[in-house]
Amino acid sequence: MHKSPYHSWAEPYKIKMVELLKMTSPQQRKKALKEAGYNTFLLRSEDVYIDLLTDSGTSAMSDRQWAGMMLGDEAYAGSRNFYHLEEVVKDVYGYKYLVPTHQGRGAENIISKILIKKGDIIPGNMYFTTTRLHQELAGGKFEDIIIDEAHDPENEFPFKGNVDLDKLDKLVKKYGASKIPYISIATSVNMAGGQPISIANLKALRAYTKKHGIRIIHDMTRVAENAHFIQQREAGYSKMPIRSIVKLICSLTDGATMSAKKDALVNIGGFLAINEWDVFEEARNMVVVYEGLHTYGGLAGRDMEAMAIGILESVNDDHIHARVGQVVYLGEKMISFGIPIVKPIGGHGIFVDAKKFLPHIPQDQFPAQTLAAAVYLDSGVRTMERGVVSAGRKANGENYFPKLELVRFTIPRRVYTQAHMDVIAESTARVFNKRQKIKGLKMVYEPKYLRFFQARFEEI
Ligand code: F0G
């Protein structure tokens, strides 16, 4: 459903200001990589040419958002920007009560502490690193209830973010609904490769949870991208505007955590939104302890203003078609070079299958970490490991060995051009052509929490 008469996904904006990039030599990159312990998180961004580490907080804001920054009302309490944000969240997403937080994990911390008791089970459509960790720190245990297709990079099922209701039903029968404070549902499932959940699946889940009195808490970080896929792929939604689909998705859930650094086009910000008054009351108490007063939650007034405007821009059909269109362009180019990627192509980036790319490297030698390092070395393109390093360890100290061992090429919104996409695909193809020569890594330093951020490696 591309509406542009000129090009399938041409950008609905033009560039007003540019940021110059530093070009590096292979020698410089080799040195930088070694100093960073072969971990792309530890590279200095100045040593990076095209930065695909994340789509989080890396978007280009519009002139309207920048103008909004000048309207920041930097009052400690009751900033007018808070009330604007509250109005936009209610209007666009439909949730009743809003608690701003400094970013997504601030909201995850608060909702986990409020709703989870020791020994509780939190089923979800695949884990996200910070989300699961907050659930575990609150005493809960995460259980994956995503459909099996999501764990298979080759499977082209259009809604790999869907919940397997049989898996959920087994958990409810085993533990009882009273042990399940909520189901954690992400739209555009990040760790599965940006895969969407369908409206039909959400409706079925809503019916099931109503019967059993279980809440659905929505990780709405990339809800507009999910809505795009519903519009493209789900029968009955091709003519519904993105904004209406987004609101429909939210209406099937009871509350949400949001990292506004993605969909909502800001460099910092997030919130917790909830329909239950009691939970809201508790969250308003708690935000004061961890984030800031309930009318700013760790944000400046100007940040809340930029977020309010960004949310409105994020649900514009032309915007989201160009955003996902660019990602699809890169993915199709990689496929044409024979590079193994997760299919269907997801909403926020290309996920290269490192197990297939480097079949000679066993998972305990970190194939995805190795591949991310090799791509950086080739061209200065920075990507991210999403495999065994990101998965971390279980409470008993054993490593999680996830089926998916991926390198994420995450595309920031409104930042890079089609020519950049070509450079990225060509660089990956060069690495692919010399893949047999690439050797694995060993971990020489491992932090206790979220180890992928700061772990260090050496070549074997
Ligand atoms: N939920 C999802 C699905 C996310 O992708 C992220 C962050 C968060 C929650 C946490 O939000 O960073 O604002 O605290 N994802 C980033 C990424 C870090 O690169 O995928 P946050």
Side-chain angles (χ1 to χ4, degrees):
M1 232 214 47
H2 294 295
K3 282 190 291 194
S4 165
Y6 308 108
H7 186 286
S8 58
W9 56 270
E11 294 84 352
Y13 54 82
K14 59 182 177 176
I15 296 165
K16 195 183 311 237
M17 189 194 279
V18 297
E19 179 178 337
L20 301 184
L21 296 172
K22 189 173 110 184
M23 313 297 269
T24 51
S25 67
Q27 289 77 9
Q28 285 171 322
R29 292 197 291 273
K30 202 167 176 178
K31 182 163 171 283
L33 190 62
K34 210 163 176 196
E35 278 172 11
Y38 295 84
N39 185 346
T40 51
F41 278 103
L42 299 178
L43 287 166
R44 290 170 183 240
S45 99
E46 279 205 327
D47 293 329
V48 171
Y49 171 37
I50 300 174
D51 203 348
L52 308 184
L53 187 69
T54 177
D55 62 329
S56 180
T58 53
S59 297
M61 293 210 296
S62 66
D63 51 357
R64 283 157 204 248
Q65 285 177 289
W66 281 108
M69 298 281 278
M70 292 304 292
L71 303 177
D73 171 11
E74 307 308 340
Y76 189 86
S79 157
R80 90 173 149 250
N81 312 116
F82 166 77
Y83 294 105
H84 183 204
L85 177 64
E86 186 181 51
E87 182 191 306
V88 168
V89 167
K90 264 190 207 162
D91 190 29
V92 175
Y93 301 131
Y95 295 116
K96 277 194 195 147
Y97 308 115
L98 170 75
V99 177
T101 58
H102 78 285
Q103 58 183 73
R105 69 198 72 181
E108 290 168 355
N109 174 38
I110 291 172
I111 198 72
S112 303
K113 281 207 166 81
I114 294 173
L115 295 180
I116 299 172
K117 292 187 301 293
K118 200 170 158 36
D120 279 352
I121 303 293
I122 301 91
N125 58 346
M126 206 173 262
Y127 81 102
F128 183 71
T129 52
T130 58
T131 321
R132 184 178 69 191
L133 183 57
H134 280 299
Q135 292 163 358
E136 288 171 351
L137 289 173
K141 182 165 179 273
F142 173 83
E143 290 274 2
D144 190 8
I145 53 163
I146 204 164
I147 55 172
D148 287 340
E149 286 88 336
H151 292 280
D152 174 4
E154 296 278 293
N155 192 305
E156 301 217 23
F157 187 69
F159 292 102
K160 284 163 89 174
N162 279 0
V163 165
D164 183 332
L165 286 161
D166 288 337
K167 287 186 190 170
L168 173 60
D169 192 50
K170 280 201 184 103
L171 290 175
V172 171
K173 292 214 164 90
K174 184 168 169 195
Y175 297 102
S178 64
K179 282 271 171 222
I180 302 178
Y182 63 92
I183 296 173
S184 182
I185 291 300
T187 33
S188 281
V189 181
N190 192 352
M191 301 302 271
Q195 303 294 330
I197 182 169
S198 70
I199 293 288
N201 187 252
L202 261 176
K203 282 188 171 162
L205 182 67
R206 176 77 293 180
Y208 181 92
T209 52
K210 265 228 165 95
K211 205 169 81 193
H212 292 273
I214 305 174
R215 295 180 191 86
I216 301 175
I217 299 295
H218 174 202
D219 181 341
M220 63 179 300
T221 296
R222 297 181 182 84
V223 65
E225 289 165 12
N226 196 117
H228 168 85
F229 287 123
I230 287 169
Q231 197 188 55
Q232 299 263 313
R233 300 176 186 164
E234 190 164 355
Y237 297 97
S238 69
K239 294 206 170 63
M240 191 184 272
I242 292 294
R243 189 167 168 159
S244 308
I245 300 175
V246 163
K247 199 157 185 180
L248 175 60
I249 293 172
C250 296
S251 76
L252 295 166
T253 68
D254 301 296
T257 55
M258 173 63 147
S259 169
K261 301 169 72 173
K262 284 81 163 173
D263 248 14
L265 299 162
V266 285
N267 304 121
I268 192 71
F271 58 77
L272 173 67
I274 194 89
N275 292 337
E276 275 167 88
W277 174 261
D278 293 353
V279 178
F280 170 61
E281 270 281 273
E282 190 61 29
R284 256 201 319 192
N285 280 321
M286 213 172 267
V287 74
V288 186
V289 182
Y290 292 103
E291 304 279 319
L293 198 70
H294 63 282
T295 55
Y296 76 84
L299 296 168
R302 55 180 173 267
D303 298 329
M304 293 188 282
E305 191 59 31
M307 201 196 305
I309 299 167
I311 288 170
L312 292 168
E313 291 178 2
S314 79
V315 293
N316 174 286
D317 281 60
D318 293 328
H319 159 73
I320 203 76
H321 295 163
R323 188 296 185 267
V324 182
Q326 187 183 47
V327 175
V328 170
Y329 173 84
L330 173 62
E332 282 173 353
K333 191 136 196 162
M334 286 202 185
I335 291 171
S336 77
F337 289 139
I339 298 163
I341 68 169
V342 173
K343 289 182 220 157
I345 294 165
H348 65 304
I350 301 306
F351 290 67
V352 174
D353 184 348
K355 278 188 187 168
K356 273 244 163 68
F357 198 112
L358 299 170
H360 57 287
I361 300 183
Q363 202 172 12
D364 61 4
Q365 290 178 17
F366 313 111
Q369 191 79 29
T370 304
L371 179 54
V375 170
Y376 171 73
L377 200 59
D378 181 78
S379 57
V381 170
R382 169 156 72 170
T383 59
M384 180 199 291
E385 194 263 9
R386 288 277 92 146
V388 65
V389 184
S390 295
R393 290 178 190 275
K394 299 176 194 168
N396 67 8
E398 277 171 37
N399 274 310
Y400 284 106
F401 279 105
K403 279 201 193 128
L404 298 179
E405 178 73 23
L406 308 174
V407 177
R408 189 179 73 171
F409 290 62
T410 345
I411 311 301
R413 296 162 187 80
R414 309 193 291 206
V415 171
Y416 293 113
T417 65
Q418 185 169 342
H420 286 122
M421 298 302 122
D422 293 339
V423 168
I424 297 158
E426 286 158 16
S427 167
T428 314
R430 265 196 307 278
V431 176
F432 190 56
N433 291 336
K434 57 181 181 205
R435 62 190 179 279
Q436 278 94 354
K437 293 206 193 103
I438 298 171
K439 295 201 182 71
L441 296 171
K442 61 173 190 255
M443 202 188 296
V444 293
Y445 167 68
E446 179 175 351
K448 190 166 164 209
Y449 294 123
L450 303 175
R451 65 183 181 183
F452 55 95
F453 284 131
Q454 293 173 70
R456 300 184 70 85
F457 301 83
E458 280 172 9
E459 279 183 309
I460 289 180

